[in-house]
Amino acid sequence: MMEKILLGVLLLTTVTGSVTRNSDMRGKVFIFPEESATAYVSLIPSVKKPLENFTLCLKAFTDLTRSYSLFSYSTPSKDNEILLFVNKMGVYSLSIGNSEIIFNGPPSPYTPTHACASWESASGIAELWVNGKLLGRKGVRKGYSVGSEAKIILGQEQDSYGGNFDVNQCLLGEIWDVSLWDHVLPLTDMGDLCSSGNILSWRALTYKDNGYVVTKPKVWA
């Protein structure tokens, strides 16, 4: 009887995708193989705290020409507490506390994107670097504090806390080396440091995958 109960629990968690995993994800990627409003990865931070500074780094590949979300951090009061979003090829949107700034860069079709963003509350200055090039430094939300009760989602953009996904904003492609720090790092040459954040670390990632998400060895640098 006990074996049947345990098997049933295992099957249920496998089908619903509700298993929490903690893995060293170096050398691996999450693949979102098809357009969907149900496939996503929920990231669980190692520390929950308000953020007066942060650095976010990630790498992704897609051949999409429409808009899509790279990183969605939502709180009960702000659906775009932190949002890194691609409006179209070469045009990046960074939102902090629901306030948006736009960065324009050269389109780089059919190549991986290495994006790093940083923000400090004291000055309000946000930076965005893409593939090692600075796209600009702009002011947003000076004096603000990013909320700590967050739902952090890869693959979808949250239009409400933890949900309300739009298939037309989903990521179709691959994402890896996602890390988040509670301080501003120099972004001129992140290199291998991209995987070692103290809030989210690709080297020790706690996450839940939901829907059609596949983990595979990475093929891009």
Side-chain angles (χ1 to χ4, degrees):
M1 175 64 74
M2 182 58 69
E3 289 81 358
K4 291 182 179 180
I5 293 174
L6 291 174
L7 179 59
V9 171
L10 178 60
L11 288 172
L12 178 61
T13 55
T14 300
V15 169
T16 59
S18 60
V19 176
T20 300
R21 298 175 172 85
N22 188 288
S23 300
D24 182 346
M25 292 290 290
R26 283 177 292 181
K28 299 176 183 177
V29 303
F30 292 127
I31 301 176
F32 300 93
E34 63 182 19
E35 291 184 317
S36 165
T38 58
Y40 64 96
V41 176
S42 177
L43 306 183
I44 301 168
S46 57
V47 178
K48 285 190 175 183
K49 57 184 291 189
L51 299 177
E52 295 186 353
N53 308 277
F54 71 79
T55 302
L56 167 68
C57 283
L58 57 83
K59 298 175 183 177
F61 174 79
T62 181
D63 61 1
L64 289 172
T65 56
R66 62 160 171 79
S67 60
Y68 58 91
S69 175
L70 287 171
F71 182 90
S72 177
Y73 178 119
S74 175
T75 62
S77 61
K78 300 284 192 302
D79 54 343
N80 294 335
E81 190 73 87
I82 302 173
L83 176 66
L84 184 57
F85 192 85
V86 178
N87 289 337
K88 63 180 181 179
M89 195 176 296
V91 180
Y92 298 85
S93 164
L94 177 64
S95 295
I96 298 168
N98 279 6
S99 295
E100 180 187 35
I101 47 178
I102 300 295
F103 296 89
N104 293 288
S108 300
Y110 314 119
T111 60
T113 297
H114 181 187
C116 289
S118 69
W119 171 79
E120 60 180 20
S121 176
S123 68
I125 292 298
E127 294 185 16
L128 181 64
W129 292 69
V130 175
N131 297 334
K133 297 184 183 300
L134 176 64
L135 299 192
R137 294 188 286 185
K138 300 184 179 183
V140 62
R141 280 293 198 171
K142 180 180 178 180
Y144 185 68
S145 179
V146 171
S148 59
E149 291 301 316
K151 300 285 188 183
I152 305 174
I153 299 294
L154 302 178
Q156 302 285 347
E157 194 266 321
Q158 302 173 77
D159 286 329
S160 63
Y161 183 56
N164 198 16
F165 304 138
D166 181 347
V167 67
N168 295 311
Q169 296 176 328
C170 76
L171 174 63
L172 174 63
E174 308 180 18
I175 193 165
W176 66 99
D177 283 359
V178 181
S179 284
L180 180 68
W181 293 259
D182 65 357
H183 51 278
V184 172
L185 292 171
L187 300 180
T188 52
D189 185 19
M190 285 300 293
D192 292 337
L193 294 177
C194 196
S195 62
S196 59
N198 67 332
I199 302 295
L200 296 170
S201 173
W202 202 248
R203 300 182 182 190
L205 192 69
T206 303
Y207 68 94
K208 296 180 182 179
D209 52 9
N210 299 266
Y212 188 19
V213 182
V214 180
T215 302
K216 287 286 190 180
K218 72 177 184 178
V219 296
W220 307 101

